[in-house]
Amino acid sequence: ILGSVLITLCVLLHRGEMPFAVVARGLEFAVAFAAFLAVLQFVRATVEFLPGATASRGLFAGMDLLRRRVAILVSCHLLSVVLSIGAFAIIRPLLPPEEDPEERRRQATNALRGVCTGIYWSPFTVGIGFIFFSFPQLPAWQVFSTGMVVAIAIIGASALAQGGRRSPARSEEHTS
């Protein structure tokens, strides 16, 4: 599949149907994005070695799995309002190591859900800017409060849905 995509791009570039300037701009954007990823790694490394990181890991480790997932969800949500995907770089080093791949997946899903719900009311997102541009007559308090209510509803529904799930080990205990 990758080979066919590359061949198609080469043919389009060769025929002149796709100007080289477009490719150059795309590569320039990719370089800027790559620099941003390095900054995220720097933030993560900095947080990992902060004096309070050990205490935070201890707090997360002291929680049961459900509470830890909800704490990840809420923490990522609150940080994403200002930092967007920088929330991942801050929260991950504060979590204790997790051996179970299924639990790591659930924690990652909660982190993503937390970051994604921040866009509903964060003043730093393109979506909110678009709302204010398209509907300048809307008062800011209505936009932010509506977005916050939607985000809280999603986070609450997620916490309730996860609280109702039973782990496979628990299910087996009750059926035997």
Side-chain angles (χ1 to χ4, degrees):
I1 294 174
L2 179 61
S4 62
V5 169
L6 289 175
I7 290 171
T8 303
L9 282 174
C10 288
V11 168
L12 288 173
L13 286 171
H14 181 68
R15 296 173 110 194
E17 293 176 18
M18 187 177 199
F20 285 105
V22 173
V23 175
R25 276 188 300 200
L27 290 174
E28 287 171 6
F29 178 75
V31 168
F33 190 74
F36 176 69
L37 292 175
V39 169
L40 286 178
Q41 286 300 328
F42 178 72
V43 168
R44 181 178 175 167
T46 303
V47 169
E48 192 167 359
F49 292 104
L50 286 175
T54 305
S56 294
R57 267 189 292 278
L59 289 172
F60 275 110
M63 297 177 185
D64 63 48
L65 292 178
L66 177 61
R67 284 195 175 106
R68 187 180 309 162
R69 285 186 225 132
V70 172
I72 291 168
L73 174 71
V74 172
S75 300
C76 282
H77 172 75
L78 293 174
L79 285 170
S80 75
V81 170
V82 178
L83 299 174
S84 188
I85 64 171
F88 299 126
I90 292 174
I91 294 298
R92 179 60 195 112
L94 301 178
L95 298 174
E98 180 58 55
E99 298 298 322
D100 180 22
E102 181 61 26
E103 181 56 28
R104 280 199 314 266
R105 187 192 64 75
R106 285 185 181 140
Q107 289 179 5
T109 301
N110 280 315
L112 282 169
R113 189 174 292 129
V115 169
C116 289
T117 54
I119 65 168
Y120 289 109
W121 65 281
S122 172
F124 305 109
T125 61
V126 174
I128 295 294
F130 181 76
I131 288 172
F132 285 129
F133 178 77
S134 299
F135 306 101
Q137 72 280 7
L138 282 177
W141 71 268
Q142 284 182 341
V143 173
F144 293 124
S145 62
T146 302
M148 196 177 296
V149 167
V150 170
I152 289 170
I154 292 169
I155 290 170
S158 173
L160 287 173
Q162 289 184 55
R165 290 185 192 157
R166 293 196 180 272
S167 69
R170 270 187 165 171
S171 300
E172 290 172 9
E173 289 173 5
H174 288 74
T175 57
S176 49

